[in-house]
mmCIF file of all heavy atoms in Angstrom:
data_model
loop_
_atom_site.group_PDB
_atom_site.id
_atom_site.type_symbol
_atom_site.label_atom_id
_atom_site.label_comp_id
_atom_site.label_asym_id
_atom_site.label_seq_id
_atom_site.Cartn_x
_atom_site.Cartn_y
_atom_site.Cartn_z
ATOM 1 N N PHE A 66 -8.196 5.481 -9.083
ATOM 2 C CA PHE A 66 -7.466 6.492 -8.304
ATOM 3 C C PHE A 66 -7.091 7.695 -9.176
ATOM 4 O O PHE A 66 -5.905 7.958 -9.399
ATOM 5 C CB PHE A 66 -6.205 5.883 -7.692
ATOM 6 C CG PHE A 66 -6.440 4.764 -6.724
ATOM 7 C CD1 PHE A 66 -6.248 3.442 -7.112
ATOM 8 C CD2 PHE A 66 -6.852 5.016 -5.423
ATOM 9 C CE1 PHE A 66 -6.472 2.398 -6.219
ATOM 10 C CE2 PHE A 66 -7.060 3.990 -4.517
ATOM 11 C CZ PHE A 66 -6.873 2.672 -4.924
ATOM 12 N N PRO A 67 -8.064 8.439 -9.659
ATOM 13 C CA PRO A 67 -7.708 9.629 -10.446
ATOM 14 C C PRO A 67 -6.958 10.642 -9.597
ATOM 15 O O PRO A 67 -7.284 10.861 -8.433
ATOM 16 C CB PRO A 67 -9.067 10.161 -10.921
ATOM 17 C CG PRO A 67 -10.080 9.529 -10.041
ATOM 18 C CD PRO A 67 -9.520 8.236 -9.542
ATOM 19 N N ILE A 68 -5.950 11.260 -10.203
ATOM 20 C CA ILE A 68 -5.065 12.195 -9.516
ATOM 21 C C ILE A 68 -5.005 13.487 -10.303
ATOM 22 O O ILE A 68 -4.918 13.474 -11.535
ATOM 23 C CB ILE A 68 -3.645 11.592 -9.381
ATOM 24 C CG1 ILE A 68 -3.635 10.452 -8.362
ATOM 25 C CG2 ILE A 68 -2.617 12.662 -8.995
ATOM 26 C CD1 ILE A 68 -2.343 9.674 -8.313
ATOM 27 N N SER A 69 -5.039 14.594 -9.576
ATOM 28 C CA SER A 69 -4.823 15.890 -10.217
ATOM 29 C C SER A 69 -3.578 16.535 -9.633
ATOM 30 O O SER A 69 -3.215 16.302 -8.476
ATOM 31 C CB SER A 69 -6.035 16.815 -10.009
ATOM 32 O OG SER A 69 -6.018 17.365 -8.704
ATOM 33 N N ARG A 70 -2.894 17.346 -10.438
ATOM 34 C CA ARG A 70 -1.713 18.099 -9.977
ATOM 35 C C ARG A 70 -1.718 19.430 -10.733
ATOM 36 O O ARG A 70 -0.961 19.626 -11.677
ATOM 37 C CB ARG A 70 -0.443 17.300 -10.273
ATOM 38 C CG ARG A 70 0.839 18.018 -9.853
ATOM 39 C CD ARG A 70 1.249 17.690 -8.460
ATOM 40 N NE ARG A 70 2.322 18.556 -7.993
ATOM 41 C CZ ARG A 70 3.631 18.309 -8.150
ATOM 42 N NH1 ARG A 70 4.021 17.212 -8.780
ATOM 43 N NH2 ARG A 70 4.513 19.151 -7.681
ATOM 44 N N PRO A 71 -2.562 20.354 -10.283
ATOM 45 C CA PRO A 71 -2.704 21.611 -11.030
ATOM 46 C C PRO A 71 -1.497 22.539 -10.938
ATOM 47 O O PRO A 71 -1.310 23.390 -11.806
ATOM 48 C CB PRO A 71 -3.935 22.255 -10.386
ATOM 49 C CG PRO A 71 -4.003 21.665 -9.019
ATOM 50 C CD PRO A 71 -3.484 20.275 -9.145
ATOM 51 N N ASN A 72 -0.697 22.404 -9.858
ATOM 52 C CA ASN A 72 0.493 23.249 -9.717
ATOM 53 C C ASN A 72 1.541 22.519 -8.890
ATOM 54 O O ASN A 72 1.365 21.343 -8.544
ATOM 55 C CB ASN A 72 0.115 24.601 -9.080
ATOM 56 C CG ASN A 72 -0.592 24.436 -7.752
ATOM 57 O OD1 ASN A 72 -0.092 23.753 -6.859
ATOM 58 N ND2 ASN A 72 -1.769 25.041 -7.619
ATOM 59 N N LEU A 73 2.622 23.213 -8.558
ATOM 60 C CA LEU A 73 3.761 22.553 -7.898
ATOM 61 C C LEU A 73 3.611 22.458 -6.381
ATOM 62 O O LEU A 73 4.525 21.998 -5.702
ATOM 63 C CB LEU A 73 5.060 23.302 -8.236
ATOM 64 C CG LEU A 73 5.479 23.232 -9.700
ATOM 65 C CD1 LEU A 73 6.734 24.071 -9.939
ATOM 66 C CD2 LEU A 73 5.728 21.784 -10.131
ATOM 67 N N THR A 74 2.476 22.901 -5.843
ATOM 68 C CA THR A 74 2.294 22.824 -4.392
ATOM 69 C C THR A 74 1.048 22.041 -3.985
ATOM 70 O O THR A 74 0.761 21.903 -2.795
ATOM 71 C CB THR A 74 2.188 24.233 -3.770
ATOM 72 O OG1 THR A 74 1.020 24.892 -4.288
ATOM 73 C CG2 THR A 74 3.421 25.068 -4.074
ATOM 74 N N PHE A 75 0.297 21.520 -4.931
ATOM 75 C CA PHE A 75 -1.007 20.941 -4.596
ATOM 76 C C PHE A 75 -1.301 19.722 -5.467
ATOM 77 O O PHE A 75 -0.965 19.699 -6.658
ATOM 78 C CB PHE A 75 -2.093 22.006 -4.787
ATOM 79 C CG PHE A 75 -3.469 21.567 -4.362
ATOM 80 C CD1 PHE A 75 -3.831 21.574 -3.029
ATOM 81 C CD2 PHE A 75 -4.402 21.168 -5.312
ATOM 82 C CE1 PHE A 75 -5.107 21.183 -2.637
ATOM 83 C CE2 PHE A 75 -5.673 20.774 -4.935
ATOM 84 C CZ PHE A 75 -6.030 20.775 -3.589
ATOM 85 N N SER A 76 -1.964 18.744 -4.847
ATOM 86 C CA SER A 76 -2.410 17.566 -5.592
ATOM 87 C C SER A 76 -3.632 16.969 -4.900
ATOM 88 O O SER A 76 -3.839 17.179 -3.701
ATOM 89 C CB SER A 76 -1.300 16.509 -5.658
ATOM 90 O OG SER A 76 -1.742 15.330 -6.306
ATOM 91 N N THR A 77 -4.455 16.278 -5.657
ATOM 92 C CA THR A 77 -5.563 15.526 -5.083
ATOM 93 C C THR A 77 -5.529 14.088 -5.562
ATOM 94 O O THR A 77 -5.085 13.801 -6.681
ATOM 95 C CB THR A 77 -6.934 16.131 -5.454
ATOM 96 O OG1 THR A 77 -7.158 15.977 -6.856
ATOM 97 C CG2 THR A 77 -7.031 17.590 -5.061
ATOM 98 N N LEU A 78 -5.973 13.208 -4.692
ATOM 99 C CA LEU A 78 -6.159 11.794 -5.015
ATOM 100 C C LEU A 78 -7.615 11.462 -4.727
ATOM 101 O O LEU A 78 -8.103 11.750 -3.631
ATOM 102 C CB LEU A 78 -5.248 10.918 -4.159
ATOM 103 C CG LEU A 78 -5.536 9.411 -4.182
ATOM 104 C CD1 LEU A 78 -5.060 8.796 -5.485
ATOM 105 C CD2 LEU A 78 -4.891 8.704 -3.004
ATOM 106 N N THR A 79 -8.303 10.881 -5.691
ATOM 107 C CA THR A 79 -9.671 10.440 -5.478
ATOM 108 C C THR A 79 -9.699 8.924 -5.412
ATOM 109 O O THR A 79 -9.094 8.251 -6.254
ATOM 110 C CB THR A 79 -10.591 10.937 -6.618
ATOM 111 O OG1 THR A 79 -10.585 12.373 -6.634
ATOM 112 C CG2 THR A 79 -12.018 10.444 -6.415
ATOM 113 N N VAL A 80 -10.375 8.412 -4.407
ATOM 114 C CA VAL A 80 -10.605 6.977 -4.312
ATOM 115 C C VAL A 80 -12.047 6.757 -4.778
ATOM 116 O O VAL A 80 -12.987 7.223 -4.115
ATOM 117 C CB VAL A 80 -10.404 6.449 -2.885
ATOM 118 C CG1 VAL A 80 -10.512 4.934 -2.855
ATOM 119 C CG2 VAL A 80 -9.054 6.908 -2.335
ATOM 120 N N SER A 81 -12.206 6.099 -5.924
ATOM 121 C CA SER A 81 -13.502 6.014 -6.572
ATOM 122 C C SER A 81 -14.200 4.689 -6.294
ATOM 123 O O SER A 81 -13.553 3.659 -6.096
ATOM 124 C CB SER A 81 -13.329 6.156 -8.097
ATOM 125 O OG SER A 81 -12.690 7.361 -8.418
ATOM 126 N N ASN A 82 -15.526 4.762 -6.287
ATOM 127 C CA ASN A 82 -16.341 3.545 -6.144
ATOM 128 C C ASN A 82 -15.772 2.647 -5.045
ATOM 129 O O ASN A 82 -15.375 1.510 -5.287
ATOM 130 C CB ASN A 82 -16.401 2.796 -7.471
ATOM 131 C CG ASN A 82 -17.367 1.645 -7.446
ATOM 132 O OD1 ASN A 82 -18.319 1.623 -6.657
ATOM 133 N ND2 ASN A 82 -17.142 0.657 -8.302
ATOM 134 N N MET A 83 -15.723 3.191 -3.857
ATOM 135 C CA MET A 83 -14.999 2.545 -2.763
ATOM 136 C C MET A 83 -15.635 1.244 -2.293
ATOM 137 O O MET A 83 -16.865 1.070 -2.325
ATOM 138 C CB MET A 83 -14.894 3.514 -1.590
ATOM 139 C CG MET A 83 -13.919 4.652 -1.853
ATOM 140 S SD MET A 83 -13.733 5.736 -0.445
ATOM 141 C CE MET A 83 -15.259 6.669 -0.531
ATOM 142 N N SER A 84 -14.773 0.359 -1.859
ATOM 143 C CA SER A 84 -15.168 -0.895 -1.230
ATOM 144 C C SER A 84 -14.407 -1.007 0.089
ATOM 145 O O SER A 84 -13.426 -0.272 0.304
ATOM 146 C CB SER A 84 -14.838 -2.078 -2.140
ATOM 147 O OG SER A 84 -13.438 -2.215 -2.261
ATOM 148 N N PRO A 85 -14.815 -1.912 0.978
ATOM 149 C CA PRO A 85 -14.087 -2.041 2.259
ATOM 150 C C PRO A 85 -12.585 -2.302 2.085
ATOM 151 O O PRO A 85 -11.793 -1.921 2.954
ATOM 152 C CB PRO A 85 -14.786 -3.226 2.924
ATOM 153 C CG PRO A 85 -16.183 -3.147 2.407
ATOM 154 C CD PRO A 85 -16.041 -2.701 0.973
ATOM 155 N N GLU A 86 -12.207 -2.914 0.979
ATOM 156 C CA GLU A 86 -10.779 -3.188 0.733
ATOM 157 C C GLU A 86 -9.966 -1.905 0.536
ATOM 158 O O GLU A 86 -8.731 -1.928 0.581
ATOM 159 C CB GLU A 86 -10.605 -4.076 -0.500
ATOM 160 C CG GLU A 86 -11.116 -5.505 -0.338
ATOM 161 C CD GLU A 86 -12.627 -5.586 -0.276
ATOM 162 O OE1 GLU A 86 -13.307 -4.789 -0.950
ATOM 163 O OE2 GLU A 86 -13.133 -6.456 0.478
ATOM 164 N N ASP A 87 -10.638 -0.798 0.293
ATOM 165 C CA ASP A 87 -9.951 0.490 0.136
ATOM 166 C C ASP A 87 -9.663 1.158 1.472
ATOM 167 O O ASP A 87 -9.010 2.213 1.519
ATOM 168 C CB ASP A 87 -10.776 1.443 -0.730
ATOM 169 C CG ASP A 87 -10.923 0.946 -2.158
ATOM 170 O OD1 ASP A 87 -9.919 0.440 -2.711
ATOM 171 O OD2 ASP A 87 -12.033 1.063 -2.725
ATOM 172 N N SER A 88 -10.112 0.568 2.548
ATOM 173 C CA SER A 88 -9.831 1.109 3.873
ATOM 174 C C SER A 88 -8.326 1.081 4.109
ATOM 175 O O SER A 88 -7.708 0.014 4.130
ATOM 176 C CB SER A 88 -10.540 0.296 4.957
ATOM 177 O OG SER A 88 -11.937 0.358 4.797
ATOM 178 N N SER A 89 -7.742 2.262 4.251
ATOM 179 C CA SER A 89 -6.281 2.397 4.338
ATOM 180 C C SER A 89 -5.951 3.778 4.866
ATOM 181 O O SER A 89 -6.823 4.636 5.005
ATOM 182 C CB SER A 89 -5.631 2.269 2.951
ATOM 183 O OG SER A 89 -5.792 1.003 2.389
ATOM 184 N N ILE A 90 -4.667 3.984 5.075
ATOM 185 C CA ILE A 90 -4.150 5.340 5.261
ATOM 186 C C ILE A 90 -3.537 5.754 3.927
ATOM 187 O O ILE A 90 -2.706 5.027 3.372
ATOM 188 C CB ILE A 90 -3.094 5.391 6.372
ATOM 189 C CG1 ILE A 90 -3.703 4.944 7.703
ATOM 190 C CG2 ILE A 90 -2.522 6.806 6.499
ATOM 191 C CD1 ILE A 90 -2.682 4.807 8.818
ATOM 192 N N TYR A 91 -3.946 6.897 3.435
ATOM 193 C CA TYR A 91 -3.420 7.418 2.173
ATOM 194 C C TYR A 91 -2.478 8.572 2.485
ATOM 195 O O TYR A 91 -2.838 9.504 3.213
ATOM 196 C CB TYR A 91 -4.558 7.851 1.251
ATOM 197 C CG TYR A 91 -5.359 6.677 0.763
ATOM 198 C CD1 TYR A 91 -6.413 6.165 1.516
ATOM 199 C CD2 TYR A 91 -5.038 6.033 -0.432
ATOM 200 C CE1 TYR A 91 -7.134 5.060 1.090
ATOM 201 C CE2 TYR A 91 -5.754 4.934 -0.874
ATOM 202 C CZ TYR A 91 -6.796 4.447 -0.105
ATOM 203 O OH TYR A 91 -7.497 3.342 -0.534
ATOM 204 N N LEU A 92 -1.275 8.502 1.933
ATOM 205 C CA LEU A 92 -0.231 9.474 2.269
ATOM 206 C C LEU A 92 0.297 10.156 1.024
ATOM 207 O O LEU A 92 0.612 9.510 0.022
ATOM 208 C CB LEU A 92 0.931 8.769 2.972
ATOM 209 C CG LEU A 92 0.589 8.132 4.314
ATOM 210 C CD1 LEU A 92 1.076 6.707 4.357
ATOM 211 C CD2 LEU A 92 1.208 8.923 5.448
ATOM 212 N N CYS A 93 0.417 11.451 1.141
ATOM 213 C CA CYS A 93 1.047 12.258 0.118
ATOM 214 C C CYS A 93 2.525 12.394 0.479
ATOM 215 O O CYS A 93 2.879 12.463 1.662
ATOM 216 C CB CYS A 93 0.358 13.619 0.091
ATOM 217 S SG CYS A 93 1.143 14.863 -0.927
ATOM 218 N N SER A 94 3.381 12.444 -0.515
ATOM 219 C CA SER A 94 4.816 12.523 -0.262
ATOM 220 C C SER A 94 5.476 13.404 -1.310
ATOM 221 O O SER A 94 5.059 13.415 -2.469
ATOM 222 C CB SER A 94 5.414 11.117 -0.307
ATOM 223 O OG SER A 94 6.814 11.161 -0.243
ATOM 224 N N VAL A 95 6.514 14.135 -0.900
ATOM 225 C CA VAL A 95 7.246 14.977 -1.844
ATOM 226 C C VAL A 95 8.739 14.784 -1.645
ATOM 227 O O VAL A 95 9.185 14.368 -0.575
ATOM 228 C CB VAL A 95 6.897 16.472 -1.668
ATOM 229 C CG1 VAL A 95 5.403 16.702 -1.804
ATOM 230 C CG2 VAL A 95 7.407 17.012 -0.345
ATOM 231 N N VAL A 96 9.486 15.113 -2.671
ATOM 232 C CA VAL A 96 10.941 15.096 -2.583
ATOM 233 C C VAL A 96 11.425 16.542 -2.507
ATOM 234 O O VAL A 96 11.094 17.348 -3.386
ATOM 235 C CB VAL A 96 11.567 14.392 -3.791
ATOM 236 C CG1 VAL A 96 13.092 14.491 -3.740
ATOM 237 C CG2 VAL A 96 11.137 12.933 -3.822
ATOM 238 N N SER A 97 12.190 16.833 -1.469
ATOM 239 C CA SER A 97 12.736 18.172 -1.292
ATOM 240 C C SER A 97 14.149 18.031 -0.751
ATOM 241 O O SER A 97 14.366 17.323 0.234
ATOM 242 C CB SER A 97 11.866 18.985 -0.324
ATOM 243 O OG SER A 97 12.434 20.256 -0.079
ATOM 244 N N THR A 98 15.094 18.707 -1.390
ATOM 245 C CA THR A 98 16.510 18.601 -1.001
ATOM 246 C C THR A 98 16.930 17.151 -0.835
ATOM 247 O O THR A 98 17.527 16.762 0.167
ATOM 248 C CB THR A 98 16.821 19.405 0.279
ATOM 249 O OG1 THR A 98 15.995 18.941 1.355
ATOM 250 C CG2 THR A 98 16.577 20.863 0.059
ATOM 251 N N TYR A 99 16.604 16.340 -1.836
ATOM 252 C CA TYR A 99 17.024 14.948 -1.943
ATOM 253 C C TYR A 99 16.461 14.049 -0.851
ATOM 254 O O TYR A 99 16.924 12.926 -0.680
ATOM 255 C CB TYR A 99 18.556 14.853 -1.955
ATOM 256 C CG TYR A 99 19.183 15.740 -2.997
ATOM 257 C CD1 TYR A 99 19.856 16.907 -2.644
ATOM 258 C CD2 TYR A 99 19.084 15.431 -4.354
ATOM 259 C CE1 TYR A 99 20.395 17.734 -3.609
ATOM 260 C CE2 TYR A 99 19.635 16.245 -5.321
ATOM 261 C CZ TYR A 99 20.299 17.396 -4.934
ATOM 262 O OH TYR A 99 20.847 18.210 -5.888
#
Side-chain angles (χ1 to χ4, degrees):
Chain A
F66 298 102
I68 289 171
S69 78
R70 179 91 190 271
N72 56 53
L73 293 177
T74 63
F75 185 80
S76 176
T77 67
L78 168 75
T79 299
V80 186
S81 303
N82 188 25
M83 288 183 284
S84 67
E86 292 71 34
D87 295 319
S88 298
S89 295
I90 299 173
Y91 292 86
L92 297 130
C93 171
S94 172
V95 304
V96 175
S97 176
T98 58
Y99 307 107

